[in-house]
Amino acid sequence: MRKKQVISNAVLYLFLIAVLIGTMFPLLYTVLASFKSNAEILTNPGSMLPKNPTVNNYVQAWTSDSFHVPTLLRNSVIYTLVNMFTTLLISSMAGYVFARGHFKFKKLIFYCFTALMFIKTGGITIYATFKVLSAVHLDRSLFALMVVHLFSIPIVNIYLIKGNVETIPTAIDEAAKIDGCSFVGVFFKIILPMLKPILATVAILAFNSSWNDYLMPNIFTLTAPGQRTLIVGLMALKSSGESAASWNLMLAGASIAMLPVLVAFAFCNKYFVKGIAAGAVKG
Amino acid sequence: MVTEKNLAASTVAIKKKKFIGSEAFWCYLMIAIPVIGFVVLHVYPIFWTFKWSFFSYYGVESTAKFIVLDNFKTFFTQDFTYWKAWGNTLIFALIKMPVEITFAMLLALALNKKMKGAGMFRAMYFLPNIISVAIVGLILSNMFSYNGIINNLFVKSGLLNENIDWFADKWHAFAMIIIGSVWSTFGVNVMYLLAALATVPEELYESAEIDGASKMRRFFSITLPLIAPVFQTILLLSLIGSLSVNEYIIVLTNGGPHGQTNTVMSYLYTKFVPGFADSANPQLGYGCAMSLVTTIIVACIAIFYNKFSNKMKNLY
């Protein structure tokens, strides 16, 4: 019986480790290949380790004109930080209001917001968005996209925060209200400080989605290449004519773009997990 | 509801306050931005799409022509590429979902045994999920390129006789798309399933084991029914995700070869959205008609699924 247990455990571990290798392989390959010369990437793809490791690709990416990483990085950082901040602000206020507020159309508004999850219009509505933007005299730019993002509805995050506010006993609010705190005051002074862990989760999810965003930033920076984010710049290089000649640059760029996300995951993986798991169980 | 009303009524009675400055006022103010966004960026575009779907419209309103139902007629009776894209979407969803969910379930069951390193495995499996879909496409198109590492490994190990061009025909491209897609998203399903499995009480398994129930029997009679509600959600998320797969297709094959791997959403993007469309001046009215029908079909599938899976739940 005991022997059987050991064998079945060994098989189990072998299975898990095999999957682990398969999962990590493409990421490892990318990072290692980013230290190869372009010729080696094209002619000798079979070996994982670079023959003559070089940081030349990174130097080139840092200084090249067509794929100027410092500018792209700057744009990515601005775009991500602003979106993170607005997501935190909007979703924490909305989560609190939907959990605690009493007003006429609360249920209706909440249902409307939720229904958006099931409406996929396939991109054509971007033209309507452009119309709205030109009505308020905003040109297509990364800034305009951040404004659009501010007004979009972070429904999953609202759910996360609403669920968390609901676990806080209402007695706490009432005590504060007796002490003269207003509805808004309760939010900023009492509730918000208690939401720190879930706010960390929302922040990390918002960081990840903005940093990785491709379609929308691409649409909004078509006429302003100087405002491209790192991901958009990478994809522009990929679809350009010099694509085959630039695998070294692209893989170096991809490694740079993955780095912040991987570092964030390494340090905050419990917040990631919490957000994901809560999302599933609550539906 | 009653208490809410009473509370509101008594607040009004006691304080005799005006609306401005009241709790409801502050509530509306705190969600004003998303509400405005909802009206301006969601409701208005839906009406916009509805309106122009009856026009021949190239983006200039003065030259737009009202053509009643011609857009719908054309694409229901003549435009087979759109319906082929639906076929591709269903192929993608119907192959990917069972493969991915079964795979994730096996891993979740293995990890649920409180073994050493379970947390580490779970985290590592999730890694591809947090990487930009655009970069996933970039990495995969390098690895699957003709002289790429995948061909190289397959030939070396004898699985393939010679290098194949994964991008040249529909089925090779689909195989690549599905392999890559499972790789990049199975981890999230492992997490979902682990969260679900954690809610099943240990004692049930113990007593079933004493009663002599086999492992298979325990899985189908205890685990599956108990995690059914969460499982239902997981399938719904996976279904919606698979039906609306878009960015991933655009960055990996861009619908190629010859549009044969386009899904509905990527088809709409590569036809009508600036920066992705092959034509500089698409007939937007036609696009509106297509988007409208697509939206309705996706919503109907989700609703149908919900009804159907509720029936299944009652059966258990």
Side-chain angles (χ1 to χ4, degrees):
Chain A
M1 199 62 193
R2 178 124 188 98
K3 205 173 163 190
K4 211 175 146 193
Q5 187 76 35
V6 172
I7 292 172
S8 85
N9 262 347
V11 172
L12 211 63
Y13 269 108
L14 272 180
F15 171 57
L16 291 173
I17 289 168
V19 176
L20 184 71
I21 293 171
T23 312
M24 300 308 291
F25 170 69
L27 303 179
L28 270 179
Y29 165 80
T30 307
V31 174
L32 289 173
S34 73
F35 294 101
K36 291 179 181 174
S37 71
N38 202 46
E40 197 186 342
I41 294 173
L42 291 174
T43 55
N44 186 18
S47 72
M48 285 287 278
L49 289 171
K51 267 190 204 135
N52 306 304
T54 164
V55 289
N56 197 14
N57 302 330
Y58 288 91
V59 176
Q60 209 183 326
W62 208 259
T63 51
S64 113
D65 286 330
S66 58
F67 182 66
H68 192 239
V69 170
T71 314
L72 299 171
L73 260 181
R74 185 201 63 196
N75 295 338
S76 272
V77 168
I78 295 173
Y79 179 68
T80 306
L81 288 182
V82 170
N83 283 349
M84 257 172 88
F85 176 74
T86 53
T87 305
L88 277 174
L89 185 74
I90 300 290
S91 55
S92 62
M93 287 201 300
Y96 170 66
V97 166
F98 285 123
R100 287 287 208 266
H102 302 283
F103 55 104
K104 218 174 175 182
F105 299 110
K106 181 166 124 176
K107 276 206 171 132
L108 178 73
I109 295 174
F110 194 63
Y111 279 135
C112 284
F113 284 8
T114 307
L116 288 181
M117 281 199 276
F118 300 98
I119 295 181
K120 309 272 179 187
T121 50
I124 193 94
T125 50
I126 192 72
Y127 291 99
T129 307
F130 289 158
K131 256 195 103 178
V132 173
L133 288 177
S134 66
V136 294
H137 302 291
L138 264 178
D139 287 329
R140 278 177 231 179
S141 62
L142 206 57
F143 173 73
L145 181 56
M146 291 189 279
V147 174
V148 170
H149 193 275
L150 167 70
F151 281 91
S152 68
I153 297 156
I155 185 65
V156 175
N157 297 324
I158 295 177
Y159 262 97
L160 285 175
I161 290 180
K162 176 175 175 274
N164 239 260
V165 174
E166 277 162 356
T167 62
I168 300 173
T170 45
I172 295 181
D173 305 26
E174 272 146 28
K177 274 183 188 163
I178 291 168
D179 289 344
C181 230
S182 67
F183 182 74
V184 183
V186 171
F187 171 66
F188 283 106
K189 286 189 197 131
I190 316 287
I191 303 288
L192 207 52
M194 294 175 81
L195 289 178
K196 267 180 203 150
I198 195 71
L199 290 179
T201 299
V202 170
I204 201 96
L205 294 177
F207 161 78
N208 196 44
S209 74
S210 285
W211 185 265
N212 289 342
D213 215 356
Y214 166 54
L215 297 179
M216 292 298 264
N218 185 37
I219 296 170
F220 276 80
T221 58
L222 276 178
T223 51
Q227 298 184 8
R228 281 174 181 162
T229 60
L230 186 51
I231 302 281
V232 175
L234 261 177
M235 290 299 121
L237 187 61
K238 182 176 179 258
S239 47
S240 75
E242 45 192 321
S243 153
S246 324
W247 272 118
N248 56 339
L249 272 187
M250 289 193 279
L251 292 177
S255 304
I256 296 174
M258 287 195 295
L259 188 70
V261 177
L262 294 180
V263 170
F265 186 68
F267 287 103
C268 316
N269 115 50
K270 75 170 181 184
Y271 294 112
F272 263 108
V273 175
K274 213 163 73 180
I276 306 296
V281 177
K282 292 201 184 96
Chain B
M1 261 339 261
V2 177
T3 49
E4 266 182 38
K5 267 185 192 155
N6 285 349
L7 194 82
S10 59
T11 343
V12 171
I14 295 164
K15 295 187 179 166
K16 289 254 177 208
K17 257 194 192 168
K18 279 181 286 181
F19 172 69
I20 290 180
S22 70
E23 185 185 308
F25 168 78
W26 287 113
C27 285
Y28 285 121
L29 203 66
M30 285 172 89
I31 57 166
I33 292 177
V35 169
I36 294 171
F38 180 74
V39 175
V40 175
L41 297 177
H42 291 282
V43 177
Y44 165 69
I46 290 172
F47 281 106
W48 181 91
T49 310
F50 186 75
K51 175 188 160 192
W52 290 112
S53 65
F54 302 105
F55 285 82
S56 163
Y57 175 49
Y58 286 88
V60 185
E61 295 194 13
S62 54
T63 61
K65 261 190 302 224
F66 184 64
I67 51 170
V68 205
L69 292 174
D70 279 5
N71 283 330
F72 293 93
K73 253 186 233 159
T74 315
F75 103 85
F76 271 112
T77 56
Q78 288 167 26
D79 192 348
F80 297 114
T81 46
Y82 171 80
W83 300 105
K84 276 187 192 146
W86 259 116
N88 293 338
T89 312
L90 293 180
I91 293 173
F92 175 76
L94 292 179
I95 300 178
K96 184 201 163 177
M97 281 177 61
V99 171
E100 176 171 283
I101 301 283
T102 317
F103 185 53
M105 181 63 97
L106 286 175
L107 289 167
L109 287 172
L111 290 175
N112 197 36
K113 295 192 167 167
K114 313 264 177 320
M115 55 198 312
K116 261 187 198 159
M120 189 271 292
F121 280 114
R122 185 183 64 174
M124 290 303 192
Y125 293 159
F126 185 63
L127 263 189
N129 253 279
I130 59 169
I131 289 169
S132 170
V133 177
I135 291 185
V136 168
L138 184 102
I139 295 176
L140 290 175
S141 50
N142 180 280
M143 294 180 67
F144 278 93
S145 62
Y146 189 75
N147 286 316
I149 190 165
I150 297 280
N151 272 338
N152 196 291
L153 288 179
F154 278 3
V155 170
K156 259 189 204 160
S157 62
L159 284 167
L160 284 176
N161 290 326
E162 52 183 353
N163 287 4
I164 49 174
D165 190 344
W166 293 88
F167 295 87
D169 84 286
K170 179 175 175 171
W171 295 107
H172 281 124
F174 253 119
M176 168 182 73
I177 286 171
I178 289 169
I179 294 170
S181 169
V182 170
W183 170 70
S184 76
T185 58
F186 79 95
V188 77
N189 289 305
V190 174
M191 278 209 186
Y192 288 155
L193 289 168
L194 273 173
L197 289 175
T199 62
V200 180
E202 198 72 33
E203 302 87 58
L204 284 177
Y205 291 116
E206 280 160 19
S207 56
E209 207 171 345
I210 293 167
D211 290 346
S214 71
K215 270 188 181 165
M216 285 294 247
R217 185 65 202 269
R218 270 179 270 160
F219 175 73
F220 283 105
S221 306
I222 301 174
T223 315
L224 215 48
L226 278 176
I227 65 168
V230 185
F231 199 58
Q232 201 180 331
T233 315
I234 295 171
L235 284 179
L236 180 68
L237 291 176
S238 176
L239 182 71
I240 300 258
S242 305
L243 291 181
S244 51
V245 64
N246 178 15
E247 194 174 352
Y248 174 67
I249 302 286
I250 290 178
V251 294
L252 185 52
T253 64
N254 201 17
H258 312 295
Q260 287 175 320
T261 57
N262 256 331
T263 58
V264 182
M265 293 295 167
S266 72
Y267 179 73
L268 291 175
Y269 253 78
T270 50
K271 279 284 170 211
F272 301 108
V273 175
F276 300 96
D278 38 21
S279 143
N281 197 13
Q283 211 271 71
L284 297 181
Y286 191 55
C288 287
M290 268 187 183
S291 294
L292 212 58
V293 173
T294 310
T295 309
I296 293 169
I297 296 177
V298 173
C300 283
I301 294 177
I303 293 168
F304 173 78
Y305 167 82
N306 258 340
K307 285 258 159 66
F308 177 74
S309 66
N310 277 335
K311 278 220 179 91
M312 290 297 286
K313 207 165 60 178
N314 294 339
L315 276 181
Y316 257 115

